[in-house]
Amino acid sequence: MSRNARTTGHPRSLLWLAALVYTAFVIYGSLVPLEFRALPWDQAVARFDAIPFLRLGIGSRADWVANLLLFIPLSFLWMGALSAGAGALRTALVMLALIPAAIALSVGIEFTQLFFPQRTVSQNDIYAETVGGVIGMLVWWGAGSRFVDWLQSWQRTHARAALAERLAWVYLAGVLVYNVLPLDLTISLVEIFHQWRDGKVNLVPFGRLPDDAAYALYEIATDALIWMPLALLWRLDGTRSAWRVWWMTFGTAILLEFMQLFVYSRVSDVTDLFTAAAGAALGVWIGGRLAARVAPASQMPAWSAWLPLLLAAGWMALLLFVFWYPFDFRTDGAFLRERLHHFLESVPFEAYYYGTEFRAATELLHKVLFFIPLGALLAWFVSHLRWTWRGYGTFLSLLLIAFTALVVVAGRLAQPEKNPDSMDILLQSLGGALGFVMIRIFLSRKTLAVQPVRRNAFPQDAERKMRRRYKSRDDE
């Protein structure tokens, strides 16, 4: 570790918090849906001693890679929490202590899964998690100091453009992970040929859309919405032209679509390039509008202050349409009571457990991303209020976001084909709050745009001198 990490503003407390939260997430995610079945201790030990080593086919390969990737951030964060800013000797000692700790945690999780029959216990998971833990430690050894410097730079960043640039790369990392899920990776030409034969490579634009027009529109809108924030953030940087940002976003989409050829269960569809182009264009336009110099409030029409609120109301209506379609509601009391009882009794993220990692990530992203514009529009409205009312406006905006999420979930509970999770209200509220906070931060940060100067304007010092001179003449 370099001495650059030894700074007074060290984010070790943040690393400790992240490590503890992520450890809880790993343990909880490994035991969902928490359907405990008692098992005698000696029988559990005998079963664990006989757990199999599974052959890695396509499906088990995805689980193996997922378990490996799960432990990389875990050991990386704990290395940071325990050794950030320390010398090479302490870092090495922490690494030697964490290797058996990671193995013990993996073995403990797999043993505990014996008491949860829906979970699969195998030697593969232990090996994958151990390898992932070692990789995470090695990554910290090689790049930990640069990661700490990167965290500290967020505290020193006050320019709107610099913050947008950092958020863009963080978001791009998330898009990259999403596009390689569910991690059933392959480099076999035979398996890639099977993808082609099974129709998983589509070269006909809009040739695989659902027959239902509303569902087709939903898929197009969500695929475009994924690329809009990336183009928006890159445009907010202020150093790139609109065409350059569009090509950067579209080129990234082409690259990731090519990468999906090596994910066996994913479909490489040329339609995704068209939706990415549309999402990039929308993000470029919005980012350009936000990056432009804003006119003084005195020069803006009175109705413009209420425009964001009207747009937010329209977006709320769109949210109800997207999440409630096809509106097959049932209102009989017995059905509603049963649905509500199951909803309240289910554990968080239980609905996300059934299915692939890709489906879970898709559902989570849709719920969060669709609520971000609502929060952003409300933040835009609050920025027009007088500063004495902004605190009340912020509180009421966050309350409105949570209420909208509650209404959306309540409507989905009344539809037999919908399967809302008990965490959906929180996820949607967090999406709205994220959009609200991001826009508030951007509007409060300094802009790098250069203000135009009038030709006949005096410099400030010269102008003050002239005013004092004229004033003294008037007094005489």
Side-chain angles (χ1 to χ4, degrees):
M1 296 290 293
S2 67
R3 295 180 179 271
N4 294 336
R6 303 178 188 179
T7 58
T8 56
H10 204 283
R12 180 172 291 176
S13 58
L14 177 62
L15 291 170
W16 267 101
L17 177 62
L20 291 171
V21 170
Y22 189 78
T23 302
F25 166 76
V26 169
I27 296 174
Y28 178 82
S30 300
L31 302 179
V32 169
L34 302 181
E35 296 184 1
F36 178 80
R37 297 290 186 274
L39 191 67
W41 180 259
D42 54 347
Q43 186 177 352
V45 173
R47 287 189 181 181
F48 188 75
D49 187 57
I51 59 175
F53 186 88
L54 302 177
R55 184 178 179 181
L56 292 180
I58 287 293
S60 55
R61 187 188 308 166
D63 292 336
W64 194 88
V65 175
N67 282 306
L68 184 145
L69 294 178
L70 188 69
F71 265 58
I72 291 178
L74 180 69
S75 58
F76 181 86
L77 291 172
W78 278 111
M79 283 288 294
L82 296 173
S83 67
L89 177 61
R90 178 177 173 179
T91 303
L93 293 176
V94 169
M95 183 176 179
L96 291 176
L98 281 180
I99 291 177
I103 297 174
L105 178 62
S106 175
V107 172
I109 288 175
E110 295 300 313
F111 181 78
T112 307
Q113 285 182 342
L114 292 170
F115 299 89
F116 298 86
Q118 289 193 336
R119 308 298 306 204
T120 301
V121 184
S122 69
Q123 297 180 34
N124 306 67
D125 294 346
I126 298 176
Y127 293 144
E129 290 161 356
T130 301
V131 172
V134 173
I135 292 175
M137 298 174 203
L138 293 175
V139 172
W140 177 268
W141 186 278
S145 61
R146 288 190 291 272
F147 179 72
V148 169
D149 292 339
W150 181 76
L151 285 179
Q152 291 175 322
S153 66
W154 284 77
Q155 301 174 357
R156 301 190 296 266
T157 299
H158 300 291
R160 184 186 304 175
L163 179 62
E165 177 74 9
R166 295 177 185 277
L167 287 174
W169 291 107
V170 172
Y171 185 82
L172 178 58
V175 172
L176 174 63
V177 173
Y178 171 74
N179 276 270
V180 298
L181 289 175
L183 301 174
D184 47 351
L185 307 177
T186 180
I187 57 174
S188 170
L189 294 179
V190 175
E191 292 178 347
I192 294 175
F193 173 75
H194 288 168
Q195 287 180 279
W196 173 274
R197 186 188 61 185
D198 296 339
K200 294 180 180 178
V201 180
N202 177 44
L203 300 179
V204 180
F206 305 100
R208 295 176 58 92
L209 292 176
D211 295 331
D212 190 297
Y215 276 120
L217 182 61
Y218 172 77
E219 285 197 6
I220 292 174
T222 52
D223 289 343
L225 191 62
I226 289 175
W227 293 102
M228 186 192 72
L230 182 61
L232 187 152
L233 291 170
W234 270 336
R235 186 71 173 111
L236 279 176
D237 175 80
T239 61
R240 302 182 179 97
S241 65
W243 275 110
R244 183 183 177 189
V245 170
W246 186 87
W247 275 111
M248 287 176 61
T249 309
F250 186 63
T252 304
I254 294 175
L255 177 62
L256 294 184
E257 199 66 28
F258 174 75
M259 291 174 58
Q260 287 183 344
L261 286 172
F262 305 98
V263 184
Y264 187 80
S265 60
R266 295 296 294 270
V267 175
S268 297
D269 193 344
V270 71
T271 306
D272 294 341
L273 300 182
F274 286 87
T275 56
L282 182 60
V284 166
W285 181 79
I286 296 176
R289 298 286 293 179
L290 292 176
R293 183 170 60 92
V294 180
S298 59
Q299 299 180 10
M300 299 179 65
W303 57 267
S304 64
W306 295 96
L307 178 61
L309 193 60
L310 295 175
L311 293 176
W315 192 264
M316 290 168 60
L318 178 64
L319 289 174
L320 297 182
F321 175 82
V322 167
F323 287 102
W324 284 1
Y325 185 85
F327 310 106
D328 53 341
F329 297 103
R330 286 184 56 181
T331 57
D332 52 292
F335 170 77
L336 293 177
R337 284 192 296 270
E338 180 183 357
R339 292 277 287 180
L340 183 61
H341 175 76
H342 176 74
F343 178 80
L344 295 176
E345 292 294 326
S346 63
V347 299
F349 298 109
E350 180 178 340
Y352 294 89
Y353 168 74
Y354 300 100
T356 64
E357 292 87 350
F358 172 68
R359 175 190 169 276
T362 301
E363 290 296 319
L364 190 147
L365 279 175
H366 286 178
K367 291 178 175 64
V368 173
L369 288 179
F370 267 101
F371 270 75
I372 287 179
L374 176 61
L377 290 170
L378 291 174
W380 184 17
F381 170 73
V382 170
S383 67
H384 288 299
L385 299 176
R386 299 179 62 179
W387 68 271
T388 53
W389 291 96
R390 289 181 183 176
Y392 300 104
T394 299
F395 173 76
L396 292 176
S397 297
L398 297 178
L399 189 64
L400 181 60
I401 292 170
F403 176 75
T404 305
L406 178 63
V407 171
V408 167
V409 172
R412 290 170 66 86
L413 281 173
Q415 301 180 69
E417 299 300 324
K418 306 291 185 181
N419 188 28
D421 188 84
S422 56
M423 287 295 292
D424 286 352
I425 298 176
L426 178 60
L427 289 173
Q428 293 165 347
S429 299
L430 285 176
L434 178 62
F436 187 92
V437 171
M438 285 179 59
I439 295 301
R440 292 293 293 148
I441 290 176
F442 279 126
L443 293 178
S444 63
R445 292 297 174 96
K446 299 176 183 178
T447 178
L448 297 181
V450 179
Q451 301 295 334
V453 180
R454 293 174 298 171
R455 291 183 179 179
N456 298 328
F458 288 101
Q460 284 187 343
D461 293 340
E463 188 174 2
R464 292 195 192 100
K465 291 179 181 179
M466 292 294 294
R467 287 178 178 175
R468 285 197 296 267
R469 184 181 303 173
Y470 290 140
K471 183 177 181 182
S472 60
R473 289 180 179 177
D474 294 339
D475 293 340
E476 292 175 0

